[in-house]
Amino acid sequence: MKKFFATTALLALSAWSATPEAMQAQAPTQSAQVNSEADGLILIDLVVMNEGKTLEQRQIIYETAILPIAERYSVERVGSYNITEYLGGKADDAIKLNLWSLPNAETMQQLGEDLDYQVLEAKRNALHDFSQLTLYTASSVQDSIDTNADLFLVDLVVMNDGYGLEERNEYEAAILPIAEKNGLQRTHFYEALNYINGAVEDAIKLNLWALPVADAMEQLVEVPEYQAFIPRRDEIHDFESLTLYLAEPVNQKSRSSQLIECDRAFLT
């Protein structure tokens, strides 16, 4: 397991370098259904920038450079969301959520040793706030339900002591029909395997919910059927750490299109 942490650290697609504290982190509780070999690994990458650095700078300086290097090792960005509003929890300055598909841990060591990647490390470190930037490896349980939604709730789940995936899954099974009836759709969910770095230390799950309107959650809370589950919700969840955002999906353009846009940005 230590080797896995080290090789994932070398990836640092978002900007992380291994620390002794992160190497000693314990894996969150997992359900029996997790099968990382069958489903592949997902890197949950919650991006936080250093003060004064912007998402546009990250795109131009870092992302367009790291994507072709990652492709050499079959590492693929499978989801990207610009965070538009912080709703609660930790990592309140996060600006983006990236989801990366990792074929296996061995490829991460190869990527970390890539000379082109190593050239980017100084730029990476200058851009990112390592104290807040949050990384997890996760198993993809429900990768996607087709949707044309323009807005998502990012739901990084943290439980109170004594509660875990079993209680969270029971809660979700109860509220899902109510949420769907009111226009909310859970489109993705991933079960956390290992915490690597950052502000949100004890997450067990990441959910993405497609929202019909920005205040859909506020409307849901007013529904009597949902209100019946609020006491149980409050009992099992750690709302100081459970982290929520509104986010918009980023159109996944081709690398050539991204490079053209970057060239234009430099010229204007």
Side-chain angles (χ1 to χ4, degrees):
M1 187 60 69
K2 288 184 178 180
K3 179 181 178 183
F4 177 78
F5 277 128
T7 53
T8 305
L10 288 169
L11 169 64
L13 284 167
S14 183
W16 179 68
S17 294
T19 64
E21 293 79 13
M23 296 281 283
Q24 295 168 4
Q26 297 297 313
T29 304
Q30 303 173 35
S31 74
Q33 71 189 90
V34 171
N35 186 338
S36 60
E37 291 185 1
D39 297 333
L41 292 172
I42 294 292
L43 181 68
I44 297 170
D45 171 15
L46 191 59
V47 178
V48 183
M49 308 294 289
N50 280 327
E51 186 175 356
K53 304 300 182 182
T54 66
L55 194 58
E56 290 75 17
Q57 289 175 311
R58 185 181 196 269
Q59 171 71 17
I60 294 170
I61 296 170
Y62 188 71
E63 286 202 5
T64 55
I66 194 65
L67 285 171
I69 301 171
E71 286 178 4
R72 297 176 196 168
Y73 303 95
S74 299
V75 176
E76 179 184 4
R77 185 168 60 180
V78 293
S80 188
Y81 303 82
N82 288 337
I83 292 172
T84 60
E85 186 175 350
Y86 162 77
L87 299 178
K90 296 185 176 180
D92 54 321
D93 292 324
I95 61 171
K96 193 170 190 178
L97 170 68
N98 285 320
L99 300 170
W100 303 86
S101 173
L102 313 180
N104 53 62
E106 286 71 22
T107 59
M108 300 305 96
Q109 183 171 2
Q110 297 170 2
L111 179 57
E113 294 170 353
D114 189 292
L115 295 180
D116 290 335
Y117 170 74
Q118 292 175 1
V119 169
L120 293 174
E121 289 182 347
K123 294 178 179 178
R124 178 200 71 187
N125 296 345
L127 286 169
H128 297 94
D129 179 352
F130 297 113
S131 67
Q132 294 287 307
L133 184 149
T134 298
L135 294 172
Y136 276 88
T137 57
S139 170
S140 175
V141 182
Q142 177 176 293
D143 196 27
S144 179
I145 291 177
D146 290 337
T147 178
N148 294 320
D150 295 322
L151 187 65
F152 287 81
L153 177 71
V154 177
D155 176 17
L156 196 54
V157 178
V158 182
M159 308 295 284
N160 279 327
D161 289 344
Y163 300 101
L165 272 173
E166 181 178 355
E167 289 80 12
R168 171 67 189 196
N169 290 340
E170 289 174 355
Y171 168 76
E172 286 187 14
I175 68 163
L176 268 172
I178 305 169
E180 290 174 355
K181 189 164 64 175
N182 288 272
L184 289 81
Q185 184 179 33
R186 187 182 63 181
T187 60
H188 306 64
F189 70 94
Y190 308 94
E191 292 182 0
L193 296 174
N194 288 297
Y195 162 76
I196 299 173
N197 186 73
V200 190
E201 298 182 12
D202 298 314
I204 62 168
K205 195 173 190 179
L206 172 70
N207 288 324
L208 293 176
W209 301 81
L211 303 180
V213 292
D215 63 349
M217 283 301 300
E218 288 87 344
Q219 294 180 19
L220 180 62
V221 171
E222 299 301 319
V223 174
E225 287 178 279
Y226 177 84
Q227 289 179 346
F229 292 96
I230 289 178
R232 179 61 171 171
R233 179 200 69 183
D234 294 348
E235 174 189 350
I236 65 178
H237 293 98
D238 177 355
F239 284 107
E240 290 187 5
S241 298
L242 186 149
T243 300
L244 298 170
Y245 308 94
L246 294 181
E248 297 174 349
V250 178
N251 183 27
Q252 298 295 309
K253 301 175 183 176
S254 67
R255 187 165 76 250
S256 60
S257 297
Q258 291 173 336
L259 292 173
I260 289 169
E261 289 189 0
C262 287
D263 289 340
R264 289 173 177 167
F266 277 119
L267 293 171
T268 57

